[in-house]
Every structure is written in C-alpha cells, then in structure tokens.
Amino acid sequence: MKENILSAVRAVYEKKPLVHSITNFVVMQVSANVLLAAHASPLMAHAAEEMDDLTDIDDALVLNIGTLDPVWLSSMELAGTLMKKKGKPVVLDPVGAGASGLRTRAALGLLDMVRPDILRGNASEIMALGAEIRSADRVLTRGVDSRNESADALSAARELATRFSCMVSVSGETDFITDGRETYAVEGGSALMPLVTGMGCSASAVTGACAACASPLVAACAAMAVMASAGEKAGKKAAGPGSFLPAFLDELYLLDAEDAARRVRKI
C-alpha cells in the first residue's frame, strides 16, 4: 500500500486534477484553498444548467450536503449521474446525516442513485446511515460533529460498503477505510482539527483529488494519510485553531509523502 499511496500523491502533483465540489457555503473557501495546497484545482459550481458541460472537464466530483436544499440536491443527483456515465469518480460527504430526516434521506438517495465510488464521513454520520438501512435505532448527530469514535462505526461502514459497492472512509482520531472486506487504518492528525471549520469537508475534497488519480481504495487511504500527516505537523506548530489553518495549508503544500504513506496499515 505504501508504494500505491506514494504513486497516488505523485500523480496528483503531476496531473493537478480538476475537482468539482457541489459543497456547502460554510466551507467553500477552505476546501478550495486546501485543494490548491494539495496541488489540485478546485471548481465550485451548482447550477444544474451547466452540469453537462462541467462534467465533461471535471476529473472528480465531490458531493457535500452540508447546507442542503432541494435545488442543490437536484444538481447533485444530475452531476453525480453524469459523472458515473462518463466513467469519472464521485465522492459523497453525508454531512450531518442523522441530524435530520432530510439529510439522512438525501445521503441514502445519492448513495442509491449515483453509486459514488467513495463515501467519506465521520463516525456518527456513517452509523446513522447504517442504522437507517437496517431500520434500527436512529443514531443522533450533533449538528455536523461526531458523537462517536471512528472505531464504533466500523460495522456500519462495512455494511454500507457492501450494500452500495463503494469504499467507505470514516474520519476520527484514527481513520478507517473499508470496502466491506479489507480494512485499513490511518493514524495521525491533531486535536485542533475538529476546532477548525471545514477539516472534514476538506478531507472529502482531497479524497476527490486522489480519486482522480488512483483506485477508490488507494485514493481513500492516500487522502486520509495526507490529511493526517499535514494535520499532525501543523498541530505541533500552531498555538490554537486560529493559527492551525494557515499552518495546515503550508504543511499540505510541503507534504512529506513518505511520512503520509507510513501512516496506513491494514487491520
């Protein structure tokens, strides 16, 4: 896996993939800057009328339901369907799934209709989706934050991966990536990351960049390894959340790819 991750990171640097994000108002600028620091190119657009044209030039698509409304959801469905028809990767970030019926239904609808290559969320979001498809007790999500540890979501992640034939990436103190059969863990990051708006959404954006250059499994592992490495190094330099984000962008730009690749292990 280490060599595959190194190859994926190098490919992002060389290709500078165009990552189209239909994402939320809160994180647009952060996600765009993270993509630039990661040597990719960001595109933020949500008008349904231009989705056919844009998906011709997109290298990857990230769907993020953070500030969801029916109009944007229709654009997500259209863009996702077009990307899959054109053989291009799609990443879904089910922000806040479990916090409201609309979010949970929207995420499951996108999973069923679009069949994204990678589902990336925090533990509570993944557990809420897993509970919904089992019609089990609802897992509550506090806004967009997780109430659960990433390891708690492993069973749901494997179930979702199998059900929707996708890679599932669960972020947390330890990140987990699974296709329902094999599972990988990624160590690293910083306690300051949850205190900065958009870190999880940025992980999804970086996942999109990697997905444009590698298989879904390698892409999901590489993206979380990149985030873990840059986050840990930035956390050691930052005095608090205010200084963390610029330090993180610098560490992402100056990434030690070898350090990132060493953080991934099969479990």
Short mmCIF file of all heavy atoms in Angstrom, two decimals, residues 85-127:
data_model
loop_
_atom_site.label_atom_id
_atom_site.label_comp_id
_atom_site.label_asym_id
_atom_site.label_seq_id
_atom_site.Cartn_x
_atom_site.Cartn_y
_atom_site.Cartn_z
N LYS A 85 -21.80 8.10 -15.64
CA LYS A 85 -21.98 7.71 -17.04
C LYS A 85 -20.70 7.96 -17.84
O LYS A 85 -20.41 7.24 -18.80
CB LYS A 85 -23.14 8.48 -17.65
CG LYS A 85 -24.51 7.99 -17.23
CD LYS A 85 -25.60 8.78 -17.91
CE LYS A 85 -26.98 8.26 -17.51
NZ LYS A 85 -28.07 9.04 -18.15
N LYS A 86 -19.95 8.99 -17.44
CA LYS A 86 -18.73 9.35 -18.14
C LYS A 86 -17.50 8.64 -17.56
O LYS A 86 -16.37 8.91 -17.98
CB LYS A 86 -18.54 10.87 -18.10
CG LYS A 86 -19.65 11.61 -18.87
CD LYS A 86 -19.60 13.13 -18.69
CE LYS A 86 -20.78 13.78 -19.41
NZ LYS A 86 -20.82 15.26 -19.30
N GLY A 87 -17.73 7.74 -16.62
CA GLY A 87 -16.65 6.93 -16.07
C GLY A 87 -15.70 7.69 -15.17
O GLY A 87 -14.51 7.35 -15.08
N LYS A 88 -16.21 8.70 -14.45
CA LYS A 88 -15.37 9.52 -13.59
C LYS A 88 -15.78 9.36 -12.13
O LYS A 88 -16.94 9.10 -11.83
CB LYS A 88 -15.46 10.99 -14.01
CG LYS A 88 -14.99 11.24 -15.44
CD LYS A 88 -15.11 12.71 -15.81
CE LYS A 88 -14.64 12.97 -17.23
NZ LYS A 88 -14.70 14.41 -17.59
N PRO A 89 -14.83 9.53 -11.20
CA PRO A 89 -15.11 9.22 -9.79
C PRO A 89 -15.95 10.27 -9.08
O PRO A 89 -15.86 11.47 -9.35
CB PRO A 89 -13.71 9.15 -9.17
CG PRO A 89 -12.87 10.02 -10.04
CD PRO A 89 -13.41 9.86 -11.43
N VAL A 90 -16.76 9.77 -8.14
CA VAL A 90 -17.63 10.61 -7.33
C VAL A 90 -17.40 10.28 -5.85
O VAL A 90 -17.33 9.11 -5.47
CB VAL A 90 -19.11 10.39 -7.67
CG1 VAL A 90 -20.02 11.25 -6.78
CG2 VAL A 90 -19.38 10.70 -9.15
N VAL A 91 -17.27 11.33 -5.04
CA VAL A 91 -17.14 11.19 -3.58
C VAL A 91 -18.35 11.83 -2.94
O VAL A 91 -18.74 12.95 -3.31
CB VAL A 91 -15.85 11.88 -3.08
CG1 VAL A 91 -15.76 11.80 -1.55
CG2 VAL A 91 -14.62 11.27 -3.73
N LEU A 92 -18.95 11.17 -1.97
CA LEU A 92 -20.09 11.72 -1.22
C LEU A 92 -19.71 11.96 0.22
O LEU A 92 -19.21 11.06 0.90
CB LEU A 92 -21.28 10.76 -1.29
CG LEU A 92 -22.49 11.12 -0.41
CD1 LEU A 92 -23.09 12.47 -0.83
CD2 LEU A 92 -23.55 10.02 -0.47
N ASP A 93 -19.97 13.17 0.71
CA ASP A 93 -19.78 13.52 2.11
C ASP A 93 -21.16 13.79 2.71
O ASP A 93 -21.77 14.82 2.44
CB ASP A 93 -18.89 14.77 2.23
CG ASP A 93 -18.50 15.08 3.67
OD1 ASP A 93 -19.24 14.71 4.59
OD2 ASP A 93 -17.45 15.73 3.87
N PRO A 94 -21.68 12.87 3.54
CA PRO A 94 -23.04 12.98 4.06
C PRO A 94 -23.11 13.86 5.32
O PRO A 94 -23.53 13.41 6.39
CB PRO A 94 -23.40 11.53 4.38
CG PRO A 94 -22.09 10.95 4.85
CD PRO A 94 -21.01 11.63 4.01
N VAL A 95 -22.71 15.11 5.19
CA VAL A 95 -22.57 16.00 6.35
C VAL A 95 -23.87 16.06 7.15
O VAL A 95 -24.94 16.37 6.62
CB VAL A 95 -22.17 17.41 5.90
CG1 VAL A 95 -22.07 18.34 7.11
CG2 VAL A 95 -20.85 17.38 5.14
N GLY A 96 -23.79 15.75 8.43
CA GLY A 96 -24.94 15.87 9.31
C GLY A 96 -25.98 14.79 9.15
O GLY A 96 -27.09 14.91 9.71
N ALA A 97 -25.68 13.72 8.40
CA ALA A 97 -26.65 12.63 8.30
C ALA A 97 -27.00 12.14 9.70
O ALA A 97 -26.12 11.95 10.54
CB ALA A 97 -26.07 11.49 7.47
N GLY A 98 -28.27 11.95 9.95
CA GLY A 98 -28.72 11.58 11.28
C GLY A 98 -29.25 12.76 12.08
O GLY A 98 -30.00 12.57 13.04
N ALA A 99 -28.87 13.99 11.68
CA ALA A 99 -29.34 15.16 12.40
C ALA A 99 -30.76 15.54 11.98
O ALA A 99 -31.52 16.13 12.75
CB ALA A 99 -28.40 16.35 12.16
N SER A 100 -31.12 15.22 10.74
CA SER A 100 -32.47 15.49 10.25
C SER A 100 -32.85 14.43 9.24
O SER A 100 -31.99 13.82 8.60
CB SER A 100 -32.56 16.89 9.61
OG SER A 100 -31.90 16.91 8.35
N GLY A 101 -34.16 14.25 9.08
CA GLY A 101 -34.64 13.29 8.11
C GLY A 101 -34.23 13.66 6.70
O GLY A 101 -33.91 12.79 5.87
N LEU A 102 -34.24 14.97 6.38
CA LEU A 102 -33.86 15.42 5.04
C LEU A 102 -32.43 15.00 4.71
O LEU A 102 -32.17 14.47 3.63
CB LEU A 102 -34.00 16.94 4.94
CG LEU A 102 -33.48 17.56 3.63
CD1 LEU A 102 -34.29 17.07 2.44
CD2 LEU A 102 -33.52 19.10 3.72
N ARG A 103 -31.52 15.23 5.63
CA ARG A 103 -30.12 14.89 5.38
C ARG A 103 -29.92 13.39 5.21
O ARG A 103 -29.20 12.94 4.32
CB ARG A 103 -29.24 15.40 6.52
CG ARG A 103 -29.11 16.91 6.56
CD ARG A 103 -28.32 17.35 7.79
NE ARG A 103 -28.27 18.80 7.81
CZ ARG A 103 -27.36 19.53 7.19
NH1 ARG A 103 -26.42 18.92 6.48
NH2 ARG A 103 -27.38 20.84 7.24
N THR A 104 -30.55 12.63 6.08
CA THR A 104 -30.39 11.18 6.01
C THR A 104 -30.96 10.63 4.71
O THR A 104 -30.33 9.83 4.03
CB THR A 104 -31.05 10.51 7.22
OG1 THR A 104 -30.54 11.10 8.42
CG2 THR A 104 -30.77 9.01 7.24
N ARG A 105 -32.17 11.08 4.36
CA ARG A 105 -32.80 10.63 3.12
C ARG A 105 -31.99 11.06 1.90
O ARG A 105 -31.84 10.29 0.94
CB ARG A 105 -34.22 11.16 3.02
CG ARG A 105 -35.20 10.54 4.01
CD ARG A 105 -36.64 10.92 3.66
NE ARG A 105 -36.84 12.36 3.65
CZ ARG A 105 -37.17 13.08 4.73
NH1 ARG A 105 -37.33 12.48 5.91
NH2 ARG A 105 -37.37 14.38 4.64
N ALA A 106 -31.47 12.28 1.93
CA ALA A 106 -30.69 12.79 0.80
C ALA A 106 -29.42 11.97 0.60
O ALA A 106 -29.08 11.59 -0.52
CB ALA A 106 -30.34 14.26 1.01
N ALA A 107 -28.73 11.68 1.69
CA ALA A 107 -27.49 10.90 1.59
C ALA A 107 -27.77 9.51 1.06
O ALA A 107 -27.07 9.01 0.16
CB ALA A 107 -26.81 10.83 2.95
N LEU A 108 -28.80 8.84 1.60
CA LEU A 108 -29.12 7.50 1.13
C LEU A 108 -29.62 7.51 -0.32
O LEU A 108 -29.32 6.61 -1.10
CB LEU A 108 -30.17 6.87 2.04
CG LEU A 108 -29.68 6.46 3.43
CD1 LEU A 108 -30.83 6.03 4.31
CD2 LEU A 108 -28.64 5.35 3.33
N GLY A 109 -30.36 8.58 -0.68
CA GLY A 109 -30.82 8.70 -2.06
C GLY A 109 -29.67 8.84 -3.02
O GLY A 109 -29.66 8.24 -4.11
N LEU A 110 -28.67 9.64 -2.66
CA LEU A 110 -27.49 9.81 -3.51
C LEU A 110 -26.69 8.51 -3.60
O LEU A 110 -26.17 8.15 -4.65
CB LEU A 110 -26.62 10.95 -2.99
CG LEU A 110 -27.19 12.35 -3.20
CD1 LEU A 110 -26.44 13.37 -2.34
CD2 LEU A 110 -27.12 12.75 -4.66
N LEU A 111 -26.58 7.81 -2.48
CA LEU A 111 -25.89 6.52 -2.50
C LEU A 111 -26.57 5.55 -3.46
O LEU A 111 -25.92 4.84 -4.22
CB LEU A 111 -25.86 5.91 -1.10
CG LEU A 111 -24.77 6.42 -0.15
CD1 LEU A 111 -25.07 5.98 1.28
CD2 LEU A 111 -23.40 5.93 -0.58
N ASP A 112 -27.89 5.54 -3.43
CA ASP A 112 -28.65 4.60 -4.25
C ASP A 112 -28.68 5.01 -5.72
O ASP A 112 -28.52 4.17 -6.61
CB ASP A 112 -30.07 4.48 -3.70
CG ASP A 112 -30.82 3.32 -4.31
OD1 ASP A 112 -30.25 2.22 -4.38
OD2 ASP A 112 -31.98 3.51 -4.71
N MET A 113 -28.86 6.30 -5.97
CA MET A 113 -28.99 6.78 -7.35
C MET A 113 -27.65 6.92 -8.05
O MET A 113 -27.46 6.45 -9.18
CB MET A 113 -29.71 8.13 -7.38
CG MET A 113 -29.83 8.75 -8.77
SD MET A 113 -30.55 10.40 -8.74
CE MET A 113 -32.21 10.02 -8.22
N VAL A 114 -26.70 7.56 -7.40
CA VAL A 114 -25.41 7.89 -8.03
C VAL A 114 -24.42 6.73 -7.92
O VAL A 114 -23.60 6.51 -8.81
CB VAL A 114 -24.84 9.17 -7.40
CG1 VAL A 114 -23.44 9.47 -7.94
CG2 VAL A 114 -25.78 10.35 -7.65
N ARG A 115 -24.47 6.00 -6.81
CA ARG A 115 -23.48 4.96 -6.52
C ARG A 115 -22.07 5.55 -6.53
O ARG A 115 -21.23 5.20 -7.36
CB ARG A 115 -23.59 3.81 -7.53
CG ARG A 115 -24.92 3.09 -7.47
CD ARG A 115 -25.02 2.26 -6.20
NE ARG A 115 -26.38 1.79 -5.95
CZ ARG A 115 -26.67 0.62 -5.39
NH1 ARG A 115 -25.69 -0.19 -5.02
NH2 ARG A 115 -27.92 0.26 -5.16
N PRO A 116 -21.81 6.48 -5.59
CA PRO A 116 -20.47 7.09 -5.53
C PRO A 116 -19.39 6.05 -5.29
O PRO A 116 -19.64 4.99 -4.72
CB PRO A 116 -20.58 8.07 -4.35
CG PRO A 116 -21.70 7.53 -3.52
CD PRO A 116 -22.67 6.94 -4.48
N ASP A 117 -18.18 6.38 -5.72
CA ASP A 117 -17.06 5.48 -5.54
C ASP A 117 -16.60 5.44 -4.09
O ASP A 117 -16.14 4.40 -3.60
CB ASP A 117 -15.90 5.91 -6.44
CG ASP A 117 -16.30 5.93 -7.90
OD1 ASP A 117 -16.82 6.96 -8.36
OD2 ASP A 117 -16.13 4.90 -8.57
N ILE A 118 -16.71 6.59 -3.42
CA ILE A 118 -16.24 6.71 -2.03
C ILE A 118 -17.28 7.48 -1.22
O ILE A 118 -17.74 8.55 -1.64
CB ILE A 118 -14.88 7.43 -1.96
CG1 ILE A 118 -13.82 6.69 -2.78
CG2 ILE A 118 -14.41 7.56 -0.51
CD1 ILE A 118 -12.53 7.46 -2.97
N LEU A 119 -17.62 6.94 -0.06
CA LEU A 119 -18.44 7.63 0.94
C LEU A 119 -17.52 8.01 2.07
O LEU A 119 -16.88 7.14 2.66
CB LEU A 119 -19.54 6.68 1.43
CG LEU A 119 -20.38 7.14 2.63
CD1 LEU A 119 -21.21 8.37 2.28
CD2 LEU A 119 -21.27 6.00 3.13
N ARG A 120 -17.40 9.31 2.39
CA ARG A 120 -16.48 9.74 3.44
C ARG A 120 -17.21 10.61 4.46
O ARG A 120 -17.76 11.65 4.14
CB ARG A 120 -15.33 10.55 2.84
CG ARG A 120 -14.12 10.65 3.80
CD ARG A 120 -13.58 12.06 3.92
NE ARG A 120 -14.54 13.01 4.42
CZ ARG A 120 -14.81 13.20 5.71
NH1 ARG A 120 -14.22 12.50 6.65
NH2 ARG A 120 -15.73 14.10 6.07
N GLY A 121 -17.24 10.14 5.70
CA GLY A 121 -17.91 10.89 6.74
C GLY A 121 -17.34 10.59 8.11
O GLY A 121 -16.43 9.77 8.25
N ASN A 122 -17.88 11.27 9.12
CA ASN A 122 -17.44 10.98 10.48
C ASN A 122 -18.23 9.79 11.03
O ASN A 122 -19.16 9.27 10.39
CB ASN A 122 -17.53 12.22 11.38
CG ASN A 122 -18.95 12.71 11.62
OD1 ASN A 122 -19.89 11.91 11.77
ND2 ASN A 122 -19.12 14.02 11.69
N ALA A 123 -17.88 9.36 12.21
CA ALA A 123 -18.46 8.13 12.76
C ALA A 123 -19.96 8.22 12.92
O ALA A 123 -20.70 7.29 12.55
CB ALA A 123 -17.80 7.81 14.10
N SER A 124 -20.47 9.33 13.45
CA SER A 124 -21.90 9.45 13.69
C SER A 124 -22.68 9.43 12.38
O SER A 124 -23.77 8.84 12.30
CB SER A 124 -22.21 10.74 14.46
OG SER A 124 -21.71 10.66 15.78
N GLU A 125 -22.14 10.08 11.35
CA GLU A 125 -22.82 10.09 10.05
C GLU A 125 -22.89 8.69 9.45
O GLU A 125 -23.94 8.26 8.95
CB GLU A 125 -22.08 11.05 9.11
CG GLU A 125 -22.20 12.50 9.53
CD GLU A 125 -21.11 13.40 8.97
OE1 GLU A 125 -20.16 12.88 8.33
OE2 GLU A 125 -21.20 14.62 9.16
N ILE A 126 -21.78 7.98 9.51
CA ILE A 126 -21.75 6.63 8.95
C ILE A 126 -22.66 5.70 9.75
O ILE A 126 -23.40 4.88 9.19
CB ILE A 126 -20.31 6.09 8.94
CG1 ILE A 126 -19.42 6.96 8.03
CG2 ILE A 126 -20.29 4.63 8.48
CD1 ILE A 126 -19.89 7.08 6.60
N MET A 127 -22.65 5.83 11.07
CA MET A 127 -23.51 5.00 11.90
C MET A 127 -24.99 5.31 11.66
O MET A 127 -25.84 4.41 11.67
CB MET A 127 -23.14 5.18 13.37
CG MET A 127 -21.78 4.60 13.73
SD MET A 127 -21.24 5.02 15.40
CE MET A 127 -22.40 4.06 16.38
#
